[in-house]
């Protein structure tokens, strides 16, 4: 089964499975946005739009996802006073110009795609110099054995997410993106809130 098929099946139950457990960490991650007036902001792998309620107003938001069933739910979540444009497309081959965005939000997507290095390179490409990347996801540390997570990965990587992604390896593919903050959020630091800035 492909990830797109899997997320088509998961779409009706995604919010029930994920919303409550991630609400606090989403809010905290998006508090880092601060004042966004006039900014153009991309939500990569936007899903059902669980981030929308935490987005400060004033920015031109764009969300991209390759699963129509997830996008349909995201569309229903946009409030009348929010400027959010949804796109169907692949986050590892973004249909956007170089240096088009001020900020890119990657919540629960870097550890989902089979080629996170392509996604981080695309993020590096579409973001302006001085722009920020907000990441929220589960990663293992370089050299960490994490046998259970590596085993789990064999079973769920094609249907939901990967559990063996080493963030530092992924970031090494985007030399213009510099780490400015990296904090553990939940499950004993398996989930991390990370902020990058493009040089
Ligand atoms: C775990 S969900 C995260 C959704 C949302 N960001 C959140 O925080 O709830 C992963 C999403 O990424 C999408 N996705 C997976 N691979 C993708 C790809 N290559 N291009 C675009 N979307 C993708 C799935 O359709 C799904 O909606």
């Amino acid at each position: 089964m492909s990830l797109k098929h899997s997320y088509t099946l998961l779409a009706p139950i995604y919010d029930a499975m994920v919303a409550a457990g991630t609400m606090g960490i989403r809010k905290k991650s998006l508090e880092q946005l601060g004042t966004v007036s006039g900014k153009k902001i991309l939500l990569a792998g936007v899903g059902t739009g669980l981030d929308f309620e935490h987005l400060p107003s004033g920015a031109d938001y764009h969300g991209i996802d390759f699963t129509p069933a997830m996008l349909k739910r995201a569309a229903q979540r946009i409030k009348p006073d929010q400027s959010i444009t949804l796109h169907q497309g692949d986050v590892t081959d973004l249909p956007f110009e170089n240096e088009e965005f001020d900020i890119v939000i990657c919540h629960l997507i870097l550890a989902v795609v089979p080629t996170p290095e392509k996604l981080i390179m695309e993020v590096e490409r579409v973001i302006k110099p001085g722009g920020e990347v907000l990441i929220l996801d589960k990663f293992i540390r370089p050299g960490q054995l994490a046998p259970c997570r590596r085993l789990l990965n064999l079973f769920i990587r094609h249907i939901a997410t990967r559990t063996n992604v080493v963030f530092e390896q992924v970031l090494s593919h985007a030399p213009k993106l510099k780490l400015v903050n990296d904090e553990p959020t939940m499950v004993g630091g398996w989930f991390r809130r990370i902020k990058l800035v493009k040089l």
Side-chain angles (χ1 to χ4, degrees), residues 41-47 51 62-66 87 89-92 94 96 101 103-110 112-113 119-120 122-123 126 133-134 136-137:
I41 300 179
L42 177 66
L43 292 95
V46 66
D51 288 330
H62 292 256
I64 184 165
D65 202 290
F66 69 5
H87 308 258
D90 186 348
V91 294
T92 62
L94 289 171
F96 303 114
F101 292 93
I103 299 172
V104 179
I105 297 164
C106 293
H107 282 181
L108 310 183
I109 184 68
L110 261 180
V112 167
V113 294
L119 170 51
I120 202 80
E122 279 293 82
V123 170
V126 301
V133 187
L134 303 183
L136 187 60
D137 224 318

mmCIF file of all heavy atoms in Angstrom, residues 41-47 51 62-66 87 89-92 94 96 101 103-110 112-113 119-120 122-123 126 133-134 136-137:
data_model
loop_
_atom_site.group_PDB
_atom_site.id
_atom_site.type_symbol
_atom_site.label_atom_id
_atom_site.label_comp_id
_atom_site.label_asym_id
_atom_site.label_seq_id
_atom_site.Cartn_x
_atom_site.Cartn_y
_atom_site.Cartn_z
ATOM 1 N N ILE A 41 3.680 31.920 4.160
ATOM 2 C CA ILE A 41 4.050 30.773 5.000
ATOM 3 C C ILE A 41 3.500 29.478 4.408
ATOM 4 O O ILE A 41 2.325 29.404 4.045
ATOM 5 C CB ILE A 41 3.499 30.979 6.430
ATOM 6 C CG1 ILE A 41 4.090 32.259 7.033
ATOM 7 C CG2 ILE A 41 3.806 29.767 7.320
ATOM 8 C CD1 ILE A 41 3.612 32.595 8.441
ATOM 9 N N LEU A 42 4.365 28.463 4.323
ATOM 10 C CA LEU A 42 3.979 27.158 3.763
ATOM 11 C C LEU A 42 3.852 26.116 4.867
ATOM 12 O O LEU A 42 4.743 25.993 5.716
ATOM 13 C CB LEU A 42 5.046 26.698 2.758
ATOM 14 C CG LEU A 42 4.834 25.310 2.143
ATOM 15 C CD1 LEU A 42 3.578 25.282 1.266
ATOM 16 C CD2 LEU A 42 6.054 24.897 1.312
ATOM 17 N N LEU A 43 2.731 25.376 4.843
ATOM 18 C CA LEU A 43 2.584 24.206 5.721
ATOM 19 C C LEU A 43 2.777 22.962 4.847
ATOM 20 O O LEU A 43 1.929 22.639 4.005
ATOM 21 C CB LEU A 43 1.200 24.181 6.380
ATOM 22 C CG LEU A 43 0.918 25.294 7.400
ATOM 23 C CD1 LEU A 43 0.197 26.465 6.722
ATOM 24 C CD2 LEU A 43 0.066 24.795 8.546
ATOM 25 N N ALA A 44 3.909 22.292 5.024
ATOM 26 C CA ALA A 44 4.246 21.130 4.185
ATOM 27 C C ALA A 44 3.604 19.877 4.775
ATOM 28 O O ALA A 44 3.786 19.577 5.957
ATOM 29 C CB ALA A 44 5.760 20.968 4.121
ATOM 30 N N GLY A 45 2.832 19.140 3.962
ATOM 31 C CA GLY A 45 2.103 17.969 4.466
ATOM 32 C C GLY A 45 1.042 18.435 5.433
ATOM 33 O O GLY A 45 0.980 17.998 6.585
ATOM 34 N N VAL A 46 0.172 19.318 4.943
ATOM 35 C CA VAL A 46 -0.771 20.048 5.817
ATOM 36 C C VAL A 46 -1.797 19.129 6.480
ATOM 37 O O VAL A 46 -2.357 19.458 7.528
ATOM 38 C CB VAL A 46 -1.449 21.180 5.004
ATOM 39 C CG1 VAL A 46 -2.338 20.624 3.902
ATOM 40 C CG2 VAL A 46 -2.257 22.099 5.885
ATOM 41 N N GLY A 47 -2.047 17.973 5.890
ATOM 42 C CA GLY A 47 -2.988 17.013 6.481
ATOM 43 C C GLY A 47 -4.396 17.568 6.552
ATOM 44 O O GLY A 47 -4.887 18.207 5.615
ATOM 45 N N ASP A 51 -3.270 22.308 12.417
ATOM 46 C CA ASP A 51 -2.504 23.496 12.842
ATOM 47 C C ASP A 51 -3.306 24.787 12.714
ATOM 48 O O ASP A 51 -2.939 25.799 13.322
ATOM 49 C CB ASP A 51 -1.236 23.652 11.981
ATOM 50 C CG ASP A 51 -0.185 22.604 12.305
ATOM 51 O OD1 ASP A 51 -0.129 22.141 13.461
ATOM 52 O OD2 ASP A 51 0.586 22.255 11.392
ATOM 53 N N HIS A 62 -0.105 28.893 2.829
ATOM 54 C CA HIS A 62 -0.316 27.886 1.789
ATOM 55 C C HIS A 62 -0.071 26.517 2.418
ATOM 56 O O HIS A 62 0.916 26.329 3.138
ATOM 57 C CB HIS A 62 0.648 28.099 0.614
ATOM 58 C CG HIS A 62 0.347 29.347 -0.142
ATOM 59 N ND1 HIS A 62 -0.280 29.348 -1.369
ATOM 60 C CD2 HIS A 62 0.544 30.641 0.190
ATOM 61 C CE1 HIS A 62 -0.454 30.597 -1.756
ATOM 62 N NE2 HIS A 62 0.051 31.406 -0.838
ATOM 63 N N GLY A 63 -0.970 25.561 2.125
ATOM 64 C CA GLY A 63 -0.786 24.200 2.623
ATOM 65 C C GLY A 63 -0.705 23.253 1.444
ATOM 66 O O GLY A 63 -1.456 23.396 0.469
ATOM 67 N N ILE A 64 0.213 22.296 1.513
ATOM 68 C CA ILE A 64 0.327 21.315 0.427
ATOM 69 C C ILE A 64 0.297 19.898 0.996
ATOM 70 O O ILE A 64 0.874 19.622 2.052
ATOM 71 C CB ILE A 64 1.597 21.561 -0.434
ATOM 72 C CG1 ILE A 64 1.637 20.577 -1.615
ATOM 73 C CG2 ILE A 64 2.874 21.477 0.397
ATOM 74 C CD1 ILE A 64 2.634 20.961 -2.694
ATOM 75 N N ASP A 65 -0.376 19.022 0.274
ATOM 76 C CA ASP A 65 -0.485 17.618 0.678
ATOM 77 C C ASP A 65 -0.835 16.817 -0.580
ATOM 78 O O ASP A 65 -1.473 17.345 -1.490
ATOM 79 C CB ASP A 65 -1.606 17.454 1.711
ATOM 80 C CG ASP A 65 -1.441 16.193 2.560
ATOM 81 O OD1 ASP A 65 -1.621 15.079 2.025
ATOM 82 O OD2 ASP A 65 -1.140 16.326 3.766
ATOM 83 N N PHE A 66 -0.414 15.547 -0.637
ATOM 84 C CA PHE A 66 -0.741 14.789 -1.851
ATOM 85 C C PHE A 66 -1.994 13.913 -1.699
ATOM 86 O O PHE A 66 -2.355 13.201 -2.640
ATOM 87 C CB PHE A 66 0.455 13.998 -2.382
ATOM 88 C CG PHE A 66 0.969 12.816 -1.590
ATOM 89 C CD1 PHE A 66 0.339 12.346 -0.457
ATOM 90 C CD2 PHE A 66 2.111 12.152 -2.031
ATOM 91 C CE1 PHE A 66 0.821 11.255 0.243
ATOM 92 C CE2 PHE A 66 2.605 11.050 -1.353
ATOM 93 C CZ PHE A 66 1.956 10.612 -0.209
ATOM 94 N N HIS A 87 -3.011 23.290 -1.798
ATOM 95 C CA HIS A 87 -2.472 22.768 -3.062
ATOM 96 C C HIS A 87 -2.348 21.253 -2.936
ATOM 97 O O HIS A 87 -1.901 20.763 -1.892
ATOM 98 C CB HIS A 87 -1.067 23.318 -3.327
ATOM 99 C CG HIS A 87 -0.948 24.813 -3.239
ATOM 100 N ND1 HIS A 87 -0.899 25.625 -4.350
ATOM 101 C CD2 HIS A 87 -0.861 25.643 -2.161
ATOM 102 C CE1 HIS A 87 -0.780 26.888 -3.965
ATOM 103 N NE2 HIS A 87 -0.752 26.933 -2.644
ATOM 104 N N GLY A 89 -0.103 18.299 -4.026
ATOM 105 C CA GLY A 89 1.208 18.097 -4.630
ATOM 106 C C GLY A 89 2.137 17.366 -3.685
ATOM 107 O O GLY A 89 1.786 17.051 -2.553
ATOM 108 N N ASP A 90 3.342 17.115 -4.194
ATOM 109 C CA ASP A 90 4.339 16.313 -3.487
ATOM 110 C C ASP A 90 5.319 17.239 -2.760
ATOM 111 O O ASP A 90 5.945 18.096 -3.398
ATOM 112 C CB ASP A 90 5.076 15.450 -4.521
ATOM 113 C CG ASP A 90 6.035 14.465 -3.887
ATOM 114 O OD1 ASP A 90 6.320 14.578 -2.681
ATOM 115 O OD2 ASP A 90 6.521 13.588 -4.619
ATOM 116 N N VAL A 91 5.464 17.050 -1.467
ATOM 117 C CA VAL A 91 6.374 17.907 -0.700
ATOM 118 C C VAL A 91 7.841 17.661 -1.047
ATOM 119 O O VAL A 91 8.697 18.473 -0.708
ATOM 120 C CB VAL A 91 6.184 17.751 0.825
ATOM 121 C CG1 VAL A 91 4.828 18.243 1.259
ATOM 122 C CG2 VAL A 91 6.431 16.316 1.288
ATOM 123 N N THR A 92 8.135 16.546 -1.714
ATOM 124 C CA THR A 92 9.532 16.304 -2.091
ATOM 125 C C THR A 92 9.824 16.828 -3.501
ATOM 126 O O THR A 92 10.920 16.632 -4.027
ATOM 127 C CB THR A 92 9.888 14.804 -2.007
ATOM 128 O OG1 THR A 92 9.071 14.067 -2.920
ATOM 129 C CG2 THR A 92 9.684 14.269 -0.609
ATOM 130 N N LEU A 94 8.349 20.323 -4.644
ATOM 131 C CA LEU A 94 7.387 21.411 -4.398
ATOM 132 C C LEU A 94 7.121 22.244 -5.651
ATOM 133 O O LEU A 94 8.078 22.651 -6.338
ATOM 134 C CB LEU A 94 7.913 22.322 -3.279
ATOM 135 C CG LEU A 94 7.909 21.718 -1.868
ATOM 136 C CD1 LEU A 94 8.657 22.634 -0.894
ATOM 137 C CD2 LEU A 94 6.485 21.483 -1.373
ATOM 138 N N PHE A 96 6.690 25.244 -6.251
ATOM 139 C CA PHE A 96 6.857 26.651 -5.897
ATOM 140 C C PHE A 96 8.222 27.146 -6.378
ATOM 141 O O PHE A 96 9.137 26.359 -6.590
ATOM 142 C CB PHE A 96 6.729 26.851 -4.377
ATOM 143 C CG PHE A 96 5.411 26.361 -3.817
ATOM 144 C CD1 PHE A 96 5.361 25.291 -2.936
ATOM 145 C CD2 PHE A 96 4.209 26.967 -4.184
ATOM 146 C CE1 PHE A 96 4.147 24.823 -2.433
ATOM 147 C CE2 PHE A 96 2.994 26.508 -3.691
ATOM 148 C CZ PHE A 96 2.961 25.436 -2.817
ATOM 149 N N PHE A 101 8.990 31.647 0.082
ATOM 150 C CA PHE A 101 8.343 31.674 1.403
ATOM 151 C C PHE A 101 9.254 32.274 2.483
ATOM 152 O O PHE A 101 10.468 32.126 2.443
ATOM 153 C CB PHE A 101 7.940 30.254 1.816
ATOM 154 C CG PHE A 101 6.837 29.699 0.960
ATOM 155 C CD1 PHE A 101 7.125 28.930 -0.164
ATOM 156 C CD2 PHE A 101 5.500 29.985 1.247
ATOM 157 C CE1 PHE A 101 6.116 28.445 -0.977
ATOM 158 C CE2 PHE A 101 4.487 29.500 0.437
ATOM 159 C CZ PHE A 101 4.785 28.732 -0.677
ATOM 160 N N ILE A 103 8.507 31.521 5.765
ATOM 161 C CA ILE A 103 8.535 30.481 6.808
ATOM 162 C C ILE A 103 7.963 29.183 6.222
ATOM 163 O O ILE A 103 7.001 29.230 5.446
ATOM 164 C CB ILE A 103 7.682 30.902 8.029
ATOM 165 C CG1 ILE A 103 8.243 32.204 8.656
ATOM 166 C CG2 ILE A 103 7.612 29.794 9.088
ATOM 167 C CD1 ILE A 103 7.363 32.808 9.738
ATOM 168 N N VAL A 104 8.558 28.049 6.575
ATOM 169 C CA VAL A 104 7.977 26.750 6.217
ATOM 170 C C VAL A 104 7.748 25.958 7.512
ATOM 171 O O VAL A 104 8.646 25.860 8.358
ATOM 172 C CB VAL A 104 8.887 25.947 5.258
ATOM 173 C CG1 VAL A 104 8.238 24.598 4.936
ATOM 174 C CG2 VAL A 104 9.150 26.723 3.970
ATOM 175 N N ILE A 105 6.531 25.426 7.637
ATOM 176 C CA ILE A 105 6.174 24.618 8.811
ATOM 177 C C ILE A 105 6.151 23.145 8.389
ATOM 178 O O ILE A 105 5.449 22.778 7.440
ATOM 179 C CB ILE A 105 4.789 25.051 9.345
ATOM 180 C CG1 ILE A 105 4.849 26.514 9.824
ATOM 181 C CG2 ILE A 105 4.332 24.125 10.473
ATOM 182 C CD1 ILE A 105 3.483 27.155 10.002
ATOM 183 N N CYS A 106 6.933 22.340 9.079
ATOM 184 C CA CYS A 106 6.987 20.893 8.794
ATOM 185 C C CYS A 106 6.562 20.145 10.047
ATOM 186 O O CYS A 106 7.410 19.714 10.854
ATOM 187 C CB CYS A 106 8.396 20.472 8.405
ATOM 188 S SG CYS A 106 8.995 21.130 6.855
ATOM 189 N N HIS A 107 5.273 20.016 10.244
ATOM 190 C CA HIS A 107 4.764 19.276 11.400
ATOM 191 C C HIS A 107 4.395 17.861 10.965
ATOM 192 O O HIS A 107 3.540 17.674 10.091
ATOM 193 C CB HIS A 107 3.522 19.962 11.977
ATOM 194 C CG HIS A 107 3.825 21.169 12.824
ATOM 195 N ND1 HIS A 107 2.853 21.917 13.440
ATOM 196 C CD2 HIS A 107 5.015 21.732 13.166
ATOM 197 C CE1 HIS A 107 3.427 22.885 14.130
ATOM 198 N NE2 HIS A 107 4.727 22.814 13.973
ATOM 199 N N LEU A 108 5.024 16.873 11.548
ATOM 200 C CA LEU A 108 4.722 15.460 11.291
ATOM 201 C C LEU A 108 4.766 15.135 9.797
ATOM 202 O O LEU A 108 3.850 14.530 9.254
ATOM 203 C CB LEU A 108 3.353 15.080 11.887
ATOM 204 C CG LEU A 108 3.113 15.465 13.350
ATOM 205 C CD1 LEU A 108 1.751 14.966 13.821
ATOM 206 C CD2 LEU A 108 4.209 14.924 14.257
ATOM 207 N N ILE A 109 5.837 15.538 9.145
ATOM 208 C CA ILE A 109 6.002 15.211 7.721
ATOM 209 C C ILE A 109 7.429 14.740 7.412
ATOM 210 O O ILE A 109 7.604 13.842 6.604
ATOM 211 C CB ILE A 109 5.573 16.397 6.804
ATOM 212 C CG1 ILE A 109 5.650 16.026 5.330
ATOM 213 C CG2 ILE A 109 6.376 17.661 7.077
ATOM 214 C CD1 ILE A 109 4.661 15.011 4.871
ATOM 215 N N LEU A 110 8.450 15.310 8.079
ATOM 216 C CA LEU A 110 9.826 14.899 7.756
ATOM 217 C C LEU A 110 10.050 13.416 8.060
ATOM 218 O O LEU A 110 10.813 12.746 7.372
ATOM 219 C CB LEU A 110 10.825 15.721 8.566
ATOM 220 C CG LEU A 110 11.489 16.907 7.869
ATOM 221 C CD1 LEU A 110 12.444 17.586 8.829
ATOM 222 C CD2 LEU A 110 12.216 16.526 6.592
ATOM 223 N N VAL A 112 7.711 11.220 7.864
ATOM 224 C CA VAL A 112 6.676 10.451 7.157
ATOM 225 C C VAL A 112 7.162 10.057 5.760
ATOM 226 O O VAL A 112 7.018 8.911 5.339
ATOM 227 C CB VAL A 112 5.360 11.263 7.071
ATOM 228 C CG1 VAL A 112 4.386 10.636 6.084
ATOM 229 C CG2 VAL A 112 4.718 11.375 8.452
ATOM 230 N N VAL A 113 7.736 11.025 5.034
ATOM 231 C CA VAL A 113 8.116 10.756 3.643
ATOM 232 C C VAL A 113 9.294 9.774 3.584
ATOM 233 O O VAL A 113 10.168 9.785 4.454
ATOM 234 C CB VAL A 113 8.480 12.068 2.897
ATOM 235 C CG1 VAL A 113 7.270 12.961 2.758
ATOM 236 C CG2 VAL A 113 9.609 12.815 3.582
ATOM 237 N N LEU A 119 12.890 16.314 0.858
ATOM 238 C CA LEU A 119 12.004 17.331 1.432
ATOM 239 C C LEU A 119 12.818 18.480 2.025
ATOM 240 O O LEU A 119 12.526 19.652 1.755
ATOM 241 C CB LEU A 119 11.097 16.691 2.504
ATOM 242 C CG LEU A 119 10.280 17.646 3.372
ATOM 243 C CD1 LEU A 119 9.486 18.646 2.551
ATOM 244 C CD2 LEU A 119 9.333 16.862 4.269
ATOM 245 N N ILE A 120 13.859 18.180 2.782
ATOM 246 C CA ILE A 120 14.616 19.274 3.411
ATOM 247 C C ILE A 120 15.330 20.106 2.333
ATOM 248 O O ILE A 120 15.458 21.330 2.464
ATOM 249 C CB ILE A 120 15.609 18.739 4.491
ATOM 250 C CG1 ILE A 120 15.980 19.851 5.481
ATOM 251 C CG2 ILE A 120 16.867 18.163 3.898
ATOM 252 C CD1 ILE A 120 14.999 20.136 6.534
ATOM 253 N N GLU A 122 14.128 20.658 -0.674
ATOM 254 C CA GLU A 122 13.081 21.484 -1.263
ATOM 255 C C GLU A 122 12.718 22.655 -0.341
ATOM 256 O O GLU A 122 12.499 23.775 -0.807
ATOM 257 C CB GLU A 122 11.829 20.631 -1.546
ATOM 258 C CG GLU A 122 11.926 19.846 -2.833
ATOM 259 C CD GLU A 122 11.942 20.769 -4.038
ATOM 260 O OE1 GLU A 122 13.033 21.309 -4.373
ATOM 261 O OE2 GLU A 122 10.874 20.987 -4.639
ATOM 262 N N VAL A 123 12.685 22.388 0.950
ATOM 263 C CA VAL A 123 12.418 23.464 1.917
ATOM 264 C C VAL A 123 13.529 24.515 1.813
ATOM 265 O O VAL A 123 13.271 25.722 1.762
ATOM 266 C CB VAL A 123 12.320 22.888 3.351
ATOM 267 C CG1 VAL A 123 12.297 24.000 4.382
ATOM 268 C CG2 VAL A 123 11.075 22.014 3.480
ATOM 269 N N VAL A 126 12.869 26.661 -1.375
ATOM 270 C CA VAL A 126 11.717 27.584 -1.501
ATOM 271 C C VAL A 126 11.709 28.679 -0.437
ATOM 272 O O VAL A 126 10.918 29.610 -0.519
ATOM 273 C CB VAL A 126 10.355 26.835 -1.476
ATOM 274 C CG1 VAL A 126 10.275 25.834 -2.614
ATOM 275 C CG2 VAL A 126 10.071 26.179 -0.127
ATOM 276 N N VAL A 133 12.328 27.716 9.474
ATOM 277 C CA VAL A 133 11.656 26.426 9.317
ATOM 278 C C VAL A 133 11.296 25.930 10.718
ATOM 279 O O VAL A 133 12.165 25.851 11.589
ATOM 280 C CB VAL A 133 12.583 25.379 8.645
ATOM 281 C CG1 VAL A 133 11.799 24.107 8.327
ATOM 282 C CG2 VAL A 133 13.249 25.940 7.396
ATOM 283 N N LEU A 134 10.015 25.620 10.918
ATOM 284 C CA LEU A 134 9.567 25.067 12.208
ATOM 285 C C LEU A 134 9.249 23.592 12.011
ATOM 286 O O LEU A 134 8.402 23.238 11.188
ATOM 287 C CB LEU A 134 8.320 25.806 12.713
ATOM 288 C CG LEU A 134 8.442 27.318 12.891
ATOM 289 C CD1 LEU A 134 7.145 27.892 13.456
ATOM 290 C CD2 LEU A 134 9.619 27.676 13.800
ATOM 291 N N LEU A 136 8.316 19.798 13.792
ATOM 292 C CA LEU A 136 7.824 19.043 14.942
ATOM 293 C C LEU A 136 7.710 17.598 14.473
ATOM 294 O O LEU A 136 6.969 17.313 13.521
ATOM 295 C CB LEU A 136 6.444 19.590 15.311
ATOM 296 C CG LEU A 136 5.784 19.096 16.576
ATOM 297 C CD1 LEU A 136 6.631 19.415 17.800
ATOM 298 C CD2 LEU A 136 4.416 19.760 16.709
ATOM 299 N N ASP A 137 8.484 16.713 15.088
ATOM 300 C CA ASP A 137 8.427 15.320 14.618
ATOM 301 C C ASP A 137 9.207 14.415 15.560
ATOM 302 O O ASP A 137 9.822 14.886 16.517
ATOM 303 C CB ASP A 137 8.979 15.208 13.191
ATOM 304 C CG ASP A 137 8.106 14.317 12.311
ATOM 305 O OD1 ASP A 137 7.663 13.260 12.807
ATOM 306 O OD2 ASP A 137 7.882 14.666 11.145
#
